[in-house]
Amino acid sequence: GAGLIQMQTHPTDGAVELVVSDDGHGMSEEDINRVRQRHQKGDTSEGNGLGLTLMAEECDRLGVSLQIDSEPGRGTRIVIGLPEA
């Protein structure tokens, strides 16, 4: 349901943040806590409940940070902290 999706990068001390944000339905705190469980998704999601789960698993595997900020009616902002090469 998002009308706008943005991707940005921001340099930080020794890292780069990849920020993906949208103006969609947003997620409750309960939904955010479930993103690491396969096939769990929010009530408004049309997906399979794998996208954020796989992203979180890959960030864990690579040892990079993943932060999800969202609330219902206000969209979602995902920040991945990537170390500089």
Side-chain angles (χ1 to χ4, degrees), residues 21-78:
S21 58
D22 69 39
D23 62 352
H25 299 288
M27 295 182 285
S28 68
E29 190 167 332
E30 180 181 320
D31 289 337
I32 293 170
N33 291 332
R34 290 189 317 205
V35 300
R36 293 183 183 271
Q37 301 172 27
R38 289 178 182 247
H39 305 292
Q40 297 294 314
K41 59 183 185 172
D43 295 335
T44 60
S45 174
E46 296 179 16
N48 295 314
L50 290 173
L52 290 175
T53 302
L54 294 175
M55 183 184 300
E57 288 176 5
E58 192 64 13
C59 286
D60 287 346
R61 186 182 75 78
L62 294 171
V64 300
S65 64
L66 171 69
Q67 178 183 349
I68 302 173
D69 296 314
S70 187
E71 61 182 79
R74 299 197 53 131
T76 301
R77 183 175 184 262
I78 298 172

